[in-house]
Amino acid sequence: MRKIIFNAGPAVLPEIVLAQASEGILNVNNEGISIAEISHRSQLFKSILEETLHLIRELGAIGTDHEVILMQGGARLQFAQIPMNFLSKESKAGFIDTGYWAHKAMEYAAYYGQTDIIASSQEKQYRHIPNTLDFKSTKGYAYIHLTSNNTIYGTQFHQIPVVESPLIIDMSSDVFSRVMDYSKIEFAYACAQKNIGPAGLSIAIVKKEFLARAHTQLPPVFSYQLLAAKKSNYYTPPVLATYISLLNLRWLKAQGGVSAIEALNAQKAKALYAEIDRNTLFENHVQTEDRSLMNVCFTMSLSDLEQQFITFCEKHNIIGIKGHKVTGGIRASIYNAQTMDNVQQLIQVMQAFEEKCINK
Ligand SMILES: *Cc1c(COP(=O)(O)O)cnc(C)c1O
């Protein structure tokens, strides 16, 4: 039986996408060859890549002012590649520190240039998103970096702040989960393994004007300008991961696209938070208006109970709800591919667990 998967990433994919992917593994497009065997220079792969880039544009309503780049590797590689391209020892990048990943992006940038914290919610254990009124001046930076959804702490920017320097956003855990105005963003990026497809690739959506500012004296594999010019087919792209991502993006389009999935995501999160707030055993510590619609983090009064709850879930076929090691607790990731039915199953198990504890 297929499990109910709440993993933070790599995360659940639609079952139909997995079925199509397994067909492609054996015989892609009935061409008598596996997707894992085709050349990245073949017409077939070129068309797969083109359609993937096209769908990213279409789903994100991304205009001609932006380039879309597909790359090997995950978000941490981008943490390094971004400052390699856009920062120097003479310039400074500003960071909005909303927790683990936001902080990591800053640590990586520090190898290449100066860094500065514009705002932070560290003092309150990252349980909220910093208010723009508390931001330091955002002028004069090579770029300002923020993390739109904080996968580990369960917080999310529900409004993207306006800043006075180029804006770079790590959207790894909420890309295409909601409608976003990319015209206001110089550089958005995401690793694939939360909302796009399997692990192994990242996407970047870069304003051409900003791309023109990138350093060019770089090993070509790191140069965004070169990768864009080569239409994301310079080195061997992650062919299989790209193909499965394409299947998943087609699936997203068939669901009605980003605005339709956004409405569904809101319903899933609402139902789950309502249960956490109602249930006497569970608590969510995030400031209500900053709660993430993607990663629902919660705790129990006794950490002993948390382990019992996780085991209880496993008995009911639910996996992947243990919180990240830096925060502990419980985390249910409800990305695009998570169904409302699965969320309802989790809610029922939470209720059954409450009942069991009370009647003991
Ligand atoms: C998962 C995640 C990362 C790390 O991604 P890797 O591909 O493992 O490097 C970075 N930022 C955010 C917001 C994430 O959710």
Side-chain angles (χ1 to χ4, degrees), residues 57-118:
R57 267 188 197 284
E58 187 182 332
L59 289 163
I62 295 153
T64 51
D65 289 347
H66 285 75
E67 293 279 2
V68 177
I69 309 174
L70 215 141
M71 286 162 285
Q72 294 177 353
R76 264 170 284 216
L77 197 61
Q78 295 304 307
F79 291 174
Q81 196 169 342
I82 289 166
M84 266 186 233
N85 276 264
F86 297 110
L87 197 59
S88 65
K89 296 286 178 204
E90 292 73 46
S91 64
K92 202 183 256 190
F95 289 82
I96 300 173
D97 173 25
T98 50
Y100 189 84
W101 293 122
H103 206 273
K104 272 271 174 292
M106 182 173 72
E107 292 165 25
Y108 277 47
Y111 286 91
Y112 299 94
Q114 303 164 47
T115 60
D116 212 1
I117 294 180
I118 302 280

Side-chain angles (χ1 to χ4, degrees), residues 141-295:
Y141 289 97
Y143 60 83
I144 306 267
H145 180 281
L146 69 83
T147 310
S148 53
N149 181 73
N150 298 285
T151 323
I152 293 174
Y153 293 91
T155 61
Q156 189 173 20
F157 280 89
H158 292 296
Q159 220 137 34
I160 299 301
V162 176
V163 295
E164 295 180 277
S165 295
L167 182 60
I168 297 189
I169 307 186
D170 176 0
M171 295 190 186
S172 290
S173 53
D174 68 353
V175 68
F176 295 161
S177 70
R178 55 173 166 169
V179 173
M180 194 51 85
D181 182 0
Y182 290 94
S183 71
K184 302 213 165 67
I185 302 165
E186 270 68 27
F187 190 109
Y189 68 101
C191 56
Q193 68 268 24
K194 281 91 191 235
N195 258 329
I196 295 174
L201 66 90
S202 291
I203 66 163
I205 298 162
V206 198
K207 212 177 256 184
K208 287 174 183 164
E209 231 174 67
F210 185 63
L211 185 61
R213 291 193 207 171
H215 305 311
T216 48
Q217 293 306 307
L218 284 172
V221 291
F222 297 124
S223 165
Y224 291 123
Q225 284 186 8
L226 180 119
L227 297 174
K230 300 280 183 193
K231 300 192 175 348
S232 305
N233 203 351
Y234 164 63
Y235 45 53
T236 312
V239 172
L240 177 58
T242 304
Y243 180 63
I244 301 177
S245 298
L246 169 61
L247 297 173
N248 192 48
L249 294 169
R250 281 183 188 156
W251 171 85
L252 177 55
K253 185 177 168 178
Q255 306 310 298
V258 174
S259 59
I261 214 82
E262 177 173 15
L264 190 62
N265 286 336
Q267 284 174 23
K268 290 182 304 190
K270 191 174 170 203
L272 190 48
Y273 282 116
E275 176 58 21
I276 293 165
D277 293 342
R278 184 211 62 79
N279 195 307
T280 51
L281 295 178
F282 302 103
E283 262 180 300
N284 167 276
H285 296 286
V286 172
Q287 193 165 297
T288 314
E289 62 270 26
D290 298 332
R291 284 173 164 182
S292 166
L293 304 190
M294 293 282 103
N295 308 96

